[in-house]
Amino acid sequence: MRVQSSATATPRIAVTTPGQRTGPGGTLQAALGVTAFSLTFPATAWGLEGFGPWSLVAVRSVLAALIAVCCLLALRVAPPDRRHWPGLAVVAAGVVLGFPLLTTLALQTSTTAHAAVVVGLLPLTTALFSALRMGTRPSRTFWVAALAGAAAVLAFTVQQSGGALTAADGYLGAALLVCAAGYTEGGRLARVMPGWQVIGWALVLCLPLTVAASALALSYEPVRLTAHGMAGLLWVAAGSQFLGLVVWYRGMAAIGIPRASQLQLAQPLLTLVWSVLLLGEHLTAAAPLTAAAVLVCIAVTQRSRS
């Protein structure tokens, strides 16, 4: 079930050849991942209505791991080679444990609009991690468009939050770094194994810890079984923690980490739309202008040569 040979894995990657064009499949999968991720903060806010922060993070990881275990067992997937486990540990620390925990703690005192500033910087940070870790060298046009898109998103989200820093900003900054590292390592591993196996094995790796953490957290934090709480928990477990990462890593493997990461420039704006529809938060008239600017930046990064 695993892709063993580098000869079979290499054609799936569209990263380094100058001027190379890829089909829409990888871009579409990465975009589906971004859409799934854009619901994470509103769903987390819902989940916090019924669960404590530590319980929510631990239980969501356990549920996502159970989905992964069922898929791995059903398809009789052999464990990855030993050389891949350190990379899977980075994925686990970044996207299974670190980012969910840090952003959930931040959302106790921060609105989803303010927390979206993390995602506004995540595409640029991921591209930087990719350049350092994998030696990718996007063009100058790419970097200019990426910086412009990040600046537009930052300006909008800071304006939405009134321009004030909160105690949650430390959590959000740390979440930014660990998530970018997890995305970069996951995109690298998706070159040699299917994307769903990358997140699947990362979830399995964390399972002993998350099961113990769930039992401990649930014994200390009160639980209120509300419709919003359960819906939020189920989405962050199945949608954000597993299915979203499956299509995201597949997309990164197909079109390259830098280009895929820039699609996330749209994520904060999508999150803000969901925050209006699901949480009743209010946006300003600057939203459509920022959306247009970000879409232009995304178009430039997707057409630029790597």
mmCIF file of all heavy atoms in Angstrom, residues 40-53 55-57 104 222-224 226-234 236 279:
data_model
loop_
_atom_site.group_PDB
_atom_site.id
_atom_site.type_symbol
_atom_site.label_atom_id
_atom_site.label_comp_id
_atom_site.label_asym_id
_atom_site.label_seq_id
_atom_site.Cartn_x
_atom_site.Cartn_y
_atom_site.Cartn_z
ATOM 1 N N THR A 40 -12.251 25.477 11.298
ATOM 2 C CA THR A 40 -11.687 24.966 12.547
ATOM 3 C C THR A 40 -11.945 25.912 13.717
ATOM 4 O O THR A 40 -12.380 25.480 14.795
ATOM 5 C CB THR A 40 -10.183 24.726 12.397
ATOM 6 O OG1 THR A 40 -9.960 23.760 11.371
ATOM 7 C CG2 THR A 40 -9.590 24.216 13.702
ATOM 8 N N PHE A 41 -11.666 27.209 13.556
ATOM 9 C CA PHE A 41 -11.832 28.137 14.670
ATOM 10 C C PHE A 41 -13.292 28.266 15.089
ATOM 11 O O PHE A 41 -13.597 28.208 16.282
ATOM 12 C CB PHE A 41 -11.236 29.493 14.322
ATOM 13 C CG PHE A 41 -9.729 29.525 14.350
ATOM 14 C CD1 PHE A 41 -9.035 30.619 13.882
ATOM 15 C CD2 PHE A 41 -8.994 28.450 14.840
ATOM 16 C CE1 PHE A 41 -7.645 30.655 13.904
ATOM 17 C CE2 PHE A 41 -7.613 28.468 14.868
ATOM 18 C CZ PHE A 41 -6.934 29.582 14.397
ATOM 19 N N PRO A 42 -14.248 28.470 14.160
ATOM 20 C CA PRO A 42 -15.659 28.488 14.588
ATOM 21 C C PRO A 42 -16.088 27.180 15.239
ATOM 22 O O PRO A 42 -16.829 27.197 16.232
ATOM 23 C CB PRO A 42 -16.417 28.745 13.283
ATOM 24 C CG PRO A 42 -15.441 29.450 12.412
ATOM 25 C CD PRO A 42 -14.108 28.842 12.730
ATOM 26 N N ALA A 43 -15.638 26.046 14.687
ATOM 27 C CA ALA A 43 -16.008 24.755 15.285
ATOM 28 C C ALA A 43 -15.387 24.606 16.668
ATOM 29 O O ALA A 43 -16.021 24.046 17.587
ATOM 30 C CB ALA A 43 -15.568 23.604 14.379
ATOM 31 N N THR A 44 -14.174 25.104 16.843
ATOM 32 C CA THR A 44 -13.550 25.060 18.168
ATOM 33 C C THR A 44 -14.318 25.919 19.161
ATOM 34 O O THR A 44 -14.518 25.523 20.324
ATOM 35 C CB THR A 44 -12.089 25.548 18.085
ATOM 36 O OG1 THR A 44 -11.362 24.682 17.201
ATOM 37 C CG2 THR A 44 -11.426 25.524 19.454
ATOM 38 N N ALA A 45 -14.763 27.107 18.714
ATOM 39 C CA ALA A 45 -15.575 27.961 19.580
ATOM 40 C C ALA A 45 -16.859 27.249 19.998
ATOM 41 O O ALA A 45 -17.286 27.343 21.159
ATOM 42 C CB ALA A 45 -15.896 29.274 18.873
ATOM 43 N N TRP A 46 -17.471 26.532 19.070
ATOM 44 C CA TRP A 46 -18.643 25.727 19.420
ATOM 45 C C TRP A 46 -18.261 24.628 20.404
ATOM 46 O O TRP A 46 -18.964 24.387 21.390
ATOM 47 C CB TRP A 46 -19.232 25.104 18.157
ATOM 48 C CG TRP A 46 -20.233 25.970 17.460
ATOM 49 C CD1 TRP A 46 -20.525 27.285 17.725
ATOM 50 C CD2 TRP A 46 -21.081 25.586 16.384
ATOM 51 N NE1 TRP A 46 -21.486 27.745 16.880
ATOM 52 C CE2 TRP A 46 -21.862 26.723 16.039
ATOM 53 C CE3 TRP A 46 -21.270 24.421 15.661
ATOM 54 C CZ2 TRP A 46 -22.799 26.702 15.017
ATOM 55 C CZ3 TRP A 46 -22.202 24.387 14.640
ATOM 56 C CH2 TRP A 46 -22.964 25.518 14.317
ATOM 57 N N GLY A 47 -17.159 23.929 20.129
ATOM 58 C CA GLY A 47 -16.748 22.835 21.001
ATOM 59 C C GLY A 47 -16.487 23.290 22.416
ATOM 60 O O GLY A 47 -16.767 22.552 23.376
ATOM 61 N N LEU A 48 -15.964 24.515 22.576
ATOM 62 C CA LEU A 48 -15.694 25.039 23.919
ATOM 63 C C LEU A 48 -16.966 25.330 24.701
ATOM 64 O O LEU A 48 -16.903 25.532 25.913
ATOM 65 C CB LEU A 48 -14.846 26.313 23.813
ATOM 66 C CG LEU A 48 -13.370 26.088 23.427
ATOM 67 C CD1 LEU A 48 -12.687 27.420 23.151
ATOM 68 C CD2 LEU A 48 -12.634 25.320 24.520
ATOM 69 N N GLU A 49 -18.114 25.348 24.018
ATOM 70 C CA GLU A 49 -19.386 25.493 24.739
ATOM 71 C C GLU A 49 -19.719 24.236 25.538
ATOM 72 O O GLU A 49 -20.485 24.300 26.511
ATOM 73 C CB GLU A 49 -20.519 25.789 23.752
ATOM 74 C CG GLU A 49 -20.400 27.127 23.039
ATOM 75 C CD GLU A 49 -21.563 27.374 22.093
ATOM 76 O OE1 GLU A 49 -22.591 26.661 22.220
ATOM 77 O OE2 GLU A 49 -21.448 28.269 21.230
ATOM 78 N N GLY A 50 -19.167 23.102 25.127
ATOM 79 C CA GLY A 50 -19.493 21.854 25.814
ATOM 80 C C GLY A 50 -18.320 21.183 26.504
ATOM 81 O O GLY A 50 -18.529 20.336 27.385
ATOM 82 N N PHE A 51 -17.084 21.558 26.112
ATOM 83 C CA PHE A 51 -15.904 20.885 26.649
ATOM 84 C C PHE A 51 -14.882 21.914 27.121
ATOM 85 O O PHE A 51 -14.831 23.035 26.606
ATOM 86 C CB PHE A 51 -15.257 19.988 25.589
ATOM 87 C CG PHE A 51 -16.135 18.877 25.098
ATOM 88 C CD1 PHE A 51 -17.010 19.087 24.042
ATOM 89 C CD2 PHE A 51 -16.090 17.629 25.686
ATOM 90 C CE1 PHE A 51 -17.827 18.066 23.581
ATOM 91 C CE2 PHE A 51 -16.899 16.596 25.236
ATOM 92 C CZ PHE A 51 -17.771 16.818 24.183
ATOM 93 N N GLY A 52 -14.052 21.511 28.080
ATOM 94 C CA GLY A 52 -12.916 22.325 28.461
ATOM 95 C C GLY A 52 -11.859 22.276 27.368
ATOM 96 O O GLY A 52 -11.870 21.383 26.518
ATOM 97 N N PRO A 53 -10.920 23.200 27.366
ATOM 98 C CA PRO A 53 -9.926 23.246 26.284
ATOM 99 C C PRO A 53 -9.066 21.996 26.188
ATOM 100 O O PRO A 53 -8.795 21.496 25.081
ATOM 101 C CB PRO A 53 -9.095 24.485 26.632
ATOM 102 C CG PRO A 53 -9.315 24.716 28.093
ATOM 103 C CD PRO A 53 -10.716 24.278 28.362
ATOM 104 N N SER A 55 -9.790 18.964 27.312
ATOM 105 C CA SER A 55 -10.641 17.843 26.903
ATOM 106 C C SER A 55 -10.928 17.884 25.411
ATOM 107 O O SER A 55 -10.886 16.862 24.716
ATOM 108 C CB SER A 55 -11.965 17.875 27.678
ATOM 109 O OG SER A 55 -11.757 17.754 29.066
ATOM 110 N N LEU A 56 -11.239 19.071 24.905
ATOM 111 C CA LEU A 56 -11.572 19.210 23.490
ATOM 112 C C LEU A 56 -10.410 18.771 22.604
ATOM 113 O O LEU A 56 -10.593 18.020 21.638
ATOM 114 C CB LEU A 56 -11.962 20.662 23.190
ATOM 115 C CG LEU A 56 -12.361 20.971 21.745
ATOM 116 C CD1 LEU A 56 -13.593 20.170 21.347
ATOM 117 C CD2 LEU A 56 -12.621 22.467 21.569
ATOM 118 N N VAL A 57 -9.217 19.231 22.923
ATOM 119 C CA VAL A 57 -8.052 18.892 22.101
ATOM 120 C C VAL A 57 -7.745 17.401 22.178
ATOM 121 O O VAL A 57 -7.478 16.744 21.160
ATOM 122 C CB VAL A 57 -6.822 19.709 22.545
ATOM 123 C CG1 VAL A 57 -5.565 19.227 21.841
ATOM 124 C CG2 VAL A 57 -7.050 21.186 22.270
ATOM 125 N N THR A 104 -6.694 26.433 20.696
ATOM 126 C CA THR A 104 -7.846 26.255 21.584
ATOM 127 C C THR A 104 -7.673 27.070 22.858
ATOM 128 O O THR A 104 -8.618 27.712 23.330
ATOM 129 C CB THR A 104 -8.034 24.766 21.925
ATOM 130 O OG1 THR A 104 -8.275 24.032 20.722
ATOM 131 C CG2 THR A 104 -9.225 24.576 22.866
ATOM 132 N N PRO A 222 -15.470 20.014 33.437
ATOM 133 C CA PRO A 222 -16.878 19.655 33.271
ATOM 134 C C PRO A 222 -17.264 19.556 31.801
ATOM 135 O O PRO A 222 -16.701 20.251 30.944
ATOM 136 C CB PRO A 222 -17.619 20.815 33.953
ATOM 137 C CG PRO A 222 -16.658 21.956 33.892
ATOM 138 C CD PRO A 222 -15.297 21.356 34.015
ATOM 139 N N VAL A 223 -18.215 18.690 31.500
ATOM 140 C CA VAL A 223 -18.697 18.476 30.135
ATOM 141 C C VAL A 223 -20.185 18.766 30.083
ATOM 142 O O VAL A 223 -20.953 18.309 30.936
ATOM 143 C CB VAL A 223 -18.440 17.027 29.672
ATOM 144 C CG1 VAL A 223 -19.068 16.781 28.305
ATOM 145 C CG2 VAL A 223 -16.949 16.742 29.630
ATOM 146 N N ARG A 224 -20.581 19.574 29.103
ATOM 147 C CA ARG A 224 -21.996 19.871 28.850
ATOM 148 C C ARG A 224 -22.297 19.413 27.432
ATOM 149 O O ARG A 224 -21.779 19.985 26.471
ATOM 150 C CB ARG A 224 -22.285 21.364 29.011
ATOM 151 C CG ARG A 224 -22.107 21.887 30.427
ATOM 152 C CD ARG A 224 -22.248 23.401 30.500
ATOM 153 N NE ARG A 224 -23.508 23.863 29.944
ATOM 154 C CZ ARG A 224 -23.625 24.572 28.826
ATOM 155 N NH1 ARG A 224 -22.552 24.893 28.121
ATOM 156 N NH2 ARG A 224 -24.803 24.969 28.396
ATOM 157 N N THR A 226 -24.027 19.681 24.569
ATOM 158 C CA THR A 226 -24.914 20.543 23.786
ATOM 159 C C THR A 226 -24.764 20.210 22.302
ATOM 160 O O THR A 226 -23.787 19.585 21.880
ATOM 161 C CB THR A 226 -24.570 22.018 24.008
ATOM 162 O OG1 THR A 226 -23.252 22.281 23.486
ATOM 163 C CG2 THR A 226 -24.604 22.375 25.493
ATOM 164 N N ALA A 227 -25.744 20.646 21.500
ATOM 165 C CA ALA A 227 -25.686 20.401 20.055
ATOM 166 C C ALA A 227 -24.467 21.079 19.446
ATOM 167 O O ALA A 227 -23.745 20.483 18.637
ATOM 168 C CB ALA A 227 -26.969 20.900 19.389
ATOM 169 N N HIS A 228 -24.219 22.328 19.836
ATOM 170 C CA HIS A 228 -23.058 23.042 19.327
ATOM 171 C C HIS A 228 -21.761 22.369 19.759
ATOM 172 O O HIS A 228 -20.819 22.226 18.964
ATOM 173 C CB HIS A 228 -23.065 24.493 19.818
ATOM 174 C CG HIS A 228 -23.906 25.393 18.988
ATOM 175 N ND1 HIS A 228 -24.039 26.744 19.244
ATOM 176 C CD2 HIS A 228 -24.672 25.157 17.898
ATOM 177 C CE1 HIS A 228 -24.847 27.289 18.349
ATOM 178 N NE2 HIS A 228 -25.243 26.347 17.529
ATOM 179 N N GLY A 229 -21.692 21.979 21.014
ATOM 180 C CA GLY A 229 -20.483 21.351 21.523
ATOM 181 C C GLY A 229 -20.138 20.076 20.778
ATOM 182 O O GLY A 229 -18.980 19.845 20.398
ATOM 183 N N MET A 230 -21.143 19.223 20.544
ATOM 184 C CA MET A 230 -20.903 17.963 19.849
ATOM 185 C C MET A 230 -20.578 18.188 18.372
ATOM 186 O O MET A 230 -19.694 17.527 17.820
ATOM 187 C CB MET A 230 -22.123 17.049 19.986
ATOM 188 C CG MET A 230 -22.370 16.558 21.410
ATOM 189 S SD MET A 230 -20.927 15.666 22.101
ATOM 190 C CE MET A 230 -20.784 14.299 20.944
ATOM 191 N N ALA A 231 -21.300 19.129 17.734
ATOM 192 C CA ALA A 231 -21.022 19.419 16.323
ATOM 193 C C ALA A 231 -19.605 19.962 16.152
ATOM 194 O O ALA A 231 -18.889 19.588 15.215
ATOM 195 C CB ALA A 231 -22.040 20.416 15.783
ATOM 196 N N GLY A 232 -19.209 20.855 17.065
ATOM 197 C CA GLY A 232 -17.854 21.395 16.987
ATOM 198 C C GLY A 232 -16.808 20.320 17.179
ATOM 199 O O GLY A 232 -15.811 20.266 16.446
ATOM 200 N N LEU A 233 -17.007 19.437 18.156
ATOM 201 C CA LEU A 233 -16.062 18.354 18.405
ATOM 202 C C LEU A 233 -15.940 17.433 17.194
ATOM 203 O O LEU A 233 -14.831 17.080 16.770
ATOM 204 C CB LEU A 233 -16.508 17.548 19.624
ATOM 205 C CG LEU A 233 -15.738 16.256 19.892
ATOM 206 C CD1 LEU A 233 -14.272 16.545 20.196
ATOM 207 C CD2 LEU A 233 -16.381 15.476 21.039
ATOM 208 N N LEU A 234 -17.071 17.049 16.620
ATOM 209 C CA LEU A 234 -17.047 16.128 15.489
ATOM 210 C C LEU A 234 -16.359 16.745 14.280
ATOM 211 O O LEU A 234 -15.621 16.058 13.556
ATOM 212 C CB LEU A 234 -18.475 15.693 15.137
ATOM 213 C CG LEU A 234 -19.161 14.798 16.169
ATOM 214 C CD1 LEU A 234 -20.607 14.529 15.771
ATOM 215 C CD2 LEU A 234 -18.406 13.484 16.332
ATOM 216 N N VAL A 236 -13.975 19.247 14.247
ATOM 217 C CA VAL A 236 -12.524 19.399 14.417
ATOM 218 C C VAL A 236 -11.829 18.050 14.420
ATOM 219 O O VAL A 236 -10.639 17.958 14.065
ATOM 220 C CB VAL A 236 -12.175 20.192 15.703
ATOM 221 C CG1 VAL A 236 -12.660 21.629 15.591
ATOM 222 C CG2 VAL A 236 -12.734 19.529 16.956
ATOM 223 N N LEU A 279 -21.335 32.188 14.236
ATOM 224 C CA LEU A 279 -21.133 32.733 15.577
ATOM 225 C C LEU A 279 -21.757 34.109 15.769
ATOM 226 O O LEU A 279 -21.753 34.631 16.885
ATOM 227 C CB LEU A 279 -19.631 32.806 15.904
ATOM 228 C CG LEU A 279 -18.849 31.493 15.786
ATOM 229 C CD1 LEU A 279 -17.376 31.730 16.057
ATOM 230 C CD2 LEU A 279 -19.415 30.443 16.731
#
